[in-house]
Coordinates of all heavy atoms in Angstrom, one line a residue:
D192 N 62.1 83.7 159.3 CA 62.0 83.9 157.9 C 60.5 84.3 157.5 O 59.7 83.5 157.4 CB 62.4 82.6 157.1 CG 62.6 82.8 155.6 OD1 62.3 83.9 155.1 OD2 63.1 81.9 155.0
I193 N 60.3 85.6 157.4 CA 58.9 86.2 157.3 C 58.5 86.1 155.9 O 59.1 86.7 155.0 CB 58.9 87.6 157.8 CG1 59.4 87.7 159.3 CG2 57.5 88.2 157.7 CD1 59.8 89.1 159.7
G194 N 57.4 85.4 155.7 CA 56.9 85.2 154.3 C 57.9 84.3 153.5 O 58.2 84.6 152.4
G195 N 58.5 83.3 154.2 CA 59.6 82.6 153.6 C 59.4 81.7 152.5 O 60.3 81.0 152.0
Y200 N 65.8 80.5 151.9 CA 66.8 81.3 152.7 C 67.1 80.5 154.0 O 68.3 80.4 154.4 CB 66.3 82.7 153.0 CG 66.4 83.7 151.9 CD1 65.5 83.6 150.8 CD2 67.4 84.6 151.9 CE1 65.6 84.5 149.8 CE2 67.4 85.6 150.9 CZ 66.6 85.5 149.8 OH 66.7 86.4 148.8
I258 N 64.4 87.9 158.6 CA 64.5 88.4 157.2 C 63.1 88.4 156.6 O 62.3 87.6 157.0 CB 65.5 87.5 156.4 CG1 65.0 86.1 156.3 CG2 66.9 87.5 156.9 CD1 65.8 85.2 155.4
M259 N 63.0 89.3 155.6 CA 61.7 89.3 154.8 C 62.2 89.5 153.4 O 62.8 90.6 153.1 CB 60.8 90.4 155.2 CG 59.5 90.5 154.4 SD 58.4 91.8 155.0 CE 57.2 91.8 153.7
A260 N 62.1 88.5 152.5 CA 62.7 88.6 151.2 C 61.8 88.4 150.1 O 60.9 87.5 150.1 CB 63.8 87.5 151.2
S261 N 61.9 89.2 149.1 CA 61.3 89.0 147.8 C 59.7 89.0 147.7 O 59.1 88.4 146.9 CB 61.8 87.8 147.1 OG 63.2 87.9 146.9
N262 N 59.1 89.8 148.7 CA 57.7 89.9 148.6 C 57.3 91.4 148.9 O 56.1 91.7 149.2 CB 57.0 89.0 149.6 CG 57.6 88.9 151.0 OD1 58.4 89.8 151.3 ND2 57.3 87.9 151.7
L263 N 58.3 92.3 148.9 CA 58.0 93.7 149.2 C 56.9 94.4 148.4 O 56.0 95.0 149.0 CB 59.4 94.5 149.1 CG 59.3 95.9 149.4 CD1 59.0 96.2 150.9 CD2 60.7 96.6 149.1
H289 N 66.7 92.0 158.1 CA 67.1 92.3 156.7 C 65.8 92.3 155.9 O 65.1 91.3 155.8 CB 68.1 91.2 156.2 CG 69.4 91.2 157.0 ND1 70.5 91.9 156.6 CD2 69.7 90.5 158.1 CE1 71.5 91.7 157.4 NE2 71.0 90.9 158.4
L290 N 65.6 93.3 155.2 CA 64.5 93.5 154.2 C 65.1 93.4 152.8 O 65.9 94.3 152.4 CB 63.8 94.8 154.4 CG 62.6 95.1 153.4 CD1 61.5 94.1 153.6 CD2 62.1 96.5 153.7
L291 N 64.8 92.4 152.1 CA 65.3 92.2 150.7 C 64.1 92.3 149.7 O 63.1 91.7 149.9 CB 66.0 90.9 150.5 CG 67.2 90.6 151.3 CD1 67.0 89.9 152.6 CD2 68.2 89.8 150.5
G292 N 64.3 93.2 148.7 CA 63.2 93.3 147.8 C 63.5 94.1 146.6 O 64.5 94.8 146.5
E293 N 62.5 94.2 145.7 CA 62.6 95.0 144.5 C 62.3 96.5 145.0 O 61.2 96.8 145.3 CB 61.6 94.6 143.5 CG 61.8 93.1 143.0 CD 61.2 92.1 143.8 OE1 60.6 92.4 144.9 OE2 61.2 90.9 143.4
L349 N 67.3 93.7 143.1 CA 67.0 93.6 144.5 C 68.0 94.4 145.3 O 69.2 94.5 145.0 CB 67.1 92.1 145.0 CG 66.1 91.1 144.4 CD1 66.4 89.7 144.9 CD2 64.7 91.5 144.8

Side-chain angles (χ1 to χ4, degrees):
D192 193 351
I193 303 164
Y200 282 75
I258 61 174
M259 179 177 173
S261 296
N262 47 16
L263 177 64
H289 299 267
L290 177 65
L291 293 96
E293 299 85 354
L349 295 176

